[in-house]
Amino acid sequence: MTDNHQNLALVLFSVFIVATLGITTWAGRNRQGSAEEFYAGGRLFSPMENGFAIAGDYMSAASFLGISGLIALYGYDGLLYSVGFLVAWLVVLLLVAELVRNCGRFTLADVVAARMRERPVRIAAGASSVTVSVLYLVAQMVGAGSLVALLLGGTGGLAQAWTVIGVGALMVIYVSLGGMRATTWIQIVKAVLLMCGAVALTVLVLVRFHGDFDHLLRTAAERSGHGGDFLAPGLRYGGDWTARFDFISLGLALVLGTAGLPHILSRFYTVPTARAARRSVVWSIGLIGGFYLMTIVLGFGAAAIVGSREVRDSNAAGNTAVPLLAGDLGGGLDSTGGTVLFAVVAAIAFATILAVVAGITLASSASVAHDLYASLRREGAKQRSEVAVARVAAAGIGAVAIGLALLVRDLNVAFLVGLAFAVAASANLPVLLYSLFWRRFNTRGAVWSVYGGLLPALLLVALSPVVSGSGSSMFPGLDFQLFPLENPGLVSIPLGFLAGWLGTVTSSEQADEDKHAETEVRSLTGAGAV
């Protein structure tokens, strides 16, 4: 990597960081310090603004770097991530967006606790939300490490480590000083930059092949080293029955997990009404749909233009496919055009990571303060203290995420996000759907549902090939693998639903019919919504 690459990209990185810190400072001056301002930005954002922010939150490093890299390495099988992330938004729109906005206030636990005993439910839901958020944060930080290591001309662990630490420090600053208002505007800016960058690269790829997508696919297959198998199912997930079940497990996690992601659910509270929340999702679907279609072109473009082997040599997990593609499309990494395009794309990817980690950190710190701390504090404690706890929690969560990211920095970021989605679908989605739609659901059912999905998901990941038993594991020198699948969703998601049902039917507690009726009316009409 030339000095021109490094200098230009570092200048662009610095410009974005300075701009976002300016936004954070402005937002910090304009907030009143209330919980509603810190967690929900005063609920003052329009559907279009919130739609862009949701898209910015959702189109993460896993999307821009990870999915394109997986398609460049595995062809057809990498498409599962693009399709899964896109289809998941239909679940959000149809099942939870409007209902969550009507029933909740700041977090997932607000929806569940509306008709249950608050303390056990908030502790369970808060713990689950923090766990999911930390897993998602780890993926973004791994992407940042891969990107900056490429920029600095290698894959050295020192560059990756310092990048991860730097991203963690910035996200704590964004959340602590600016809250939801700053985070939302950072995500809007990032969404615009990312869409512009993706459109430009997609057009350049299609121009290179004169608009002939069939020629693009054939060239990608030739340069992949796999021939026709590159365009057929099975290159990554079809080798045996274990791989096929892993494919099903991943698909379930991706499609169902979005509706349980804390940082996505919290975005519905930043608009004034449920109708605005629904319109926000419609705006975001248009942006997200277009973006994930473009990742398909970028992934196959990287295979066809850069070559699968070159992508793998740069980063074994494929996380650097898009920056390498940008350099080639600009005329080569040694040309002025290649240097400029590479630096711009690298800066956009870095902006993507910073914006997403800010949103995730805010959601997780809100869960710590609003759910865990609020459940344990004494009655009459000032609201302002809850916001102070959220700021401290942001620092603690950042430290944990940094430590984990340093352990798993060689894994693909889209794959890591798949694990976060599996945990969200196992622990958060069952309790959310039961609370909204099942009249008999009670406190024991809610607690069992959360832990019955969360603990098996984490245990199965710990006993899977992700952690030990293979050369690509977190600990390649150890082997305590007992569970054959890399993604636990196929087992842990049904367990979450089963545990919720079992806890409810075995409990002597009778569900409060009046509260259920109130919740049902409120969820469907918005009457009494905050």
Side-chain angles (χ1 to χ4, degrees):
M1 201 61 61
T2 65
D3 290 339
N4 288 335
H5 279 92
Q6 295 181 18
N7 294 336
L8 182 56
L10 289 173
V11 167
L12 292 173
F13 285 1
S14 301
V15 167
F16 182 80
I17 290 171
V18 170
T20 52
L21 288 175
I23 292 172
T24 301
T25 302
W26 165 79
R29 289 177 178 176
N30 285 276
R31 59 180 171 79
Q32 303 299 316
S34 67
E36 182 169 323
E37 179 66 33
F38 186 80
Y39 296 143
R43 309 191 200 280
L44 299 176
F45 292 99
S46 70
M48 184 182 74
E49 291 169 344
N50 199 46
F52 270 83
I54 290 173
D57 229 344
Y58 195 62
M59 297 184 303
S60 64
S63 304
F64 193 48
L65 302 178
I67 293 177
S68 300
L70 285 173
I71 294 174
L73 297 180
Y74 301 107
Y76 183 94
D77 280 8
L79 290 175
L80 173 64
Y81 285 87
S82 289
V83 174
F85 284 146
L86 181 55
V87 172
W89 268 107
L90 299 178
V91 178
V92 175
L93 178 62
L94 294 174
L95 289 181
V96 301
E98 185 175 357
L99 305 183
V100 165
R101 175 61 188 85
N102 283 337
C103 290
R105 189 181 177 203
F106 300 130
T107 65
L108 165 70
D110 289 335
V111 180
V112 183
R115 44 180 295 222
M116 313 288 176
R117 286 186 285 116
E118 285 203 28
R119 185 170 182 174
V121 169
R122 285 193 180 276
I123 291 174
S128 173
S129 295
V130 171
T131 302
V132 172
S133 298
V134 168
L135 289 174
Y136 211 106
L137 278 173
V138 168
Q140 311 311 311
M141 291 181 173
V142 169
S146 300
L147 187 68
V148 174
L150 173 65
L151 174 68
L152 297 179
T155 56
L158 187 60
Q160 289 179 310
W162 280 110
T163 302
V164 167
I165 294 170
V167 169
L170 283 171
M171 75 185 185
V172 172
I173 293 172
Y174 292 149
V175 172
S176 299
L177 296 183
M180 180 59 83
R181 191 182 296 272
T183 299
T184 299
W185 281 111
I186 291 169
Q187 287 160 345
I188 292 171
V189 172
K190 166 255 173 157
V192 173
L193 291 175
L194 183 59
M195 289 299 293
C196 291
V199 168
L201 289 180
T202 300
V203 170
L204 289 174
V205 170
L206 294 176
V207 168
R208 175 74 67 92
F209 291 92
H210 308 290
D212 189 344
F213 195 69
D214 183 61
H215 183 208
L216 167 63
L217 294 179
R218 284 188 279 107
T219 306
E222 291 170 6
R223 297 208 60 192
S224 69
H226 298 287
D229 292 340
F230 190 71
L231 303 179
L235 192 60
R236 178 178 171 87
Y237 292 109
D240 52 28
W241 280 105
T242 299
R244 294 173 188 176
F245 279 120
D246 224 346
F247 183 88
I248 297 171
S249 185
L250 177 62
L252 282 174
L254 294 180
V255 171
L256 299 178
T258 301
L261 292 176
H263 67 289
I264 297 298
L265 295 176
S266 66
R267 292 239 56 92
F268 300 136
Y269 301 126
T270 61
V271 289
T273 64
R275 183 171 181 267
R278 185 171 63 251
R279 290 175 59 197
S280 296
V281 178
V282 173
W283 270 100
S284 64
I285 282 179
L287 295 168
I288 291 168
F291 175 77
Y292 282 114
L293 290 176
M294 289 187 284
T295 61
I296 297 173
V297 177
L298 298 180
F300 283 114
I305 296 171
V306 179
S308 297
R309 176 173 295 179
E310 288 75 10
V311 170
R312 185 177 284 106
D313 288 343
S314 173
N315 182 270
N319 294 329
T320 56
V322 171
L324 292 175
L325 173 64
D328 203 303
L329 289 172
L333 292 177
D334 295 328
S335 68
T336 301
T339 298
V340 171
L341 194 56
F342 172 90
V344 169
V345 169
I348 290 173
F350 195 68
T352 295
I353 292 165
L354 288 178
V356 172
V357 297
I360 301 168
T361 305
L362 179 60
S364 55
S365 63
S367 293
V368 171
H370 186 62
D371 298 329
L372 299 178
Y373 168 73
S375 298
L376 299 174
R377 70 181 179 183
R378 295 180 179 178
E379 292 294 330
K382 292 183 179 179
Q383 186 183 54
R384 187 179 300 272
S385 67
E386 185 179 304
V387 176
V389 170
R391 295 195 182 100
V392 174
I397 290 165
V400 172
I402 288 170
L404 290 175
L406 295 177
L407 282 177
V408 299
R409 60 189 176 206
D410 294 326
L411 297 180
N412 181 277
V413 289
F415 170 74
L416 289 171
V417 165
L419 296 182
F421 273 56
V423 177
S426 303
N428 290 348
L429 183 63
V431 71
L432 183 60
L433 294 182
Y434 278 147
S435 297
L436 291 172
F437 299 111
W438 189 17
R439 184 178 299 274
R440 288 185 57 194
F441 197 48
N442 57 29
T443 302
R444 178 192 281 184
V447 173
W448 283 27
S449 180
V450 173
Y451 292 130
L454 175 64
L455 297 179
L458 295 178
L459 179 62
L460 292 176
V461 169
L463 298 177
S464 74
V466 175
V467 176
S468 71
S470 71
S472 59
S473 301
M474 289 171 54
F475 304 106
L478 302 176
D479 187 1
F480 47 84
Q481 173 195 338
L482 296 176
F483 182 65
L485 305 184
E486 293 185 344
N487 191 291
L490 186 62
V491 176
S492 59
I493 294 173
L495 284 178
F497 282 98
L498 178 62
W501 172 81
L502 189 62
T504 299
V505 299
T506 58
S507 173
S508 59
E509 176 189 358
Q510 295 297 315
D512 191 320
E513 294 286 342
D514 292 336
K515 284 188 177 180
H516 175 267
E518 180 183 343
T519 300
E520 187 173 38
V521 171
R522 181 173 170 180
S523 67
L524 295 175
T525 67
V530 178

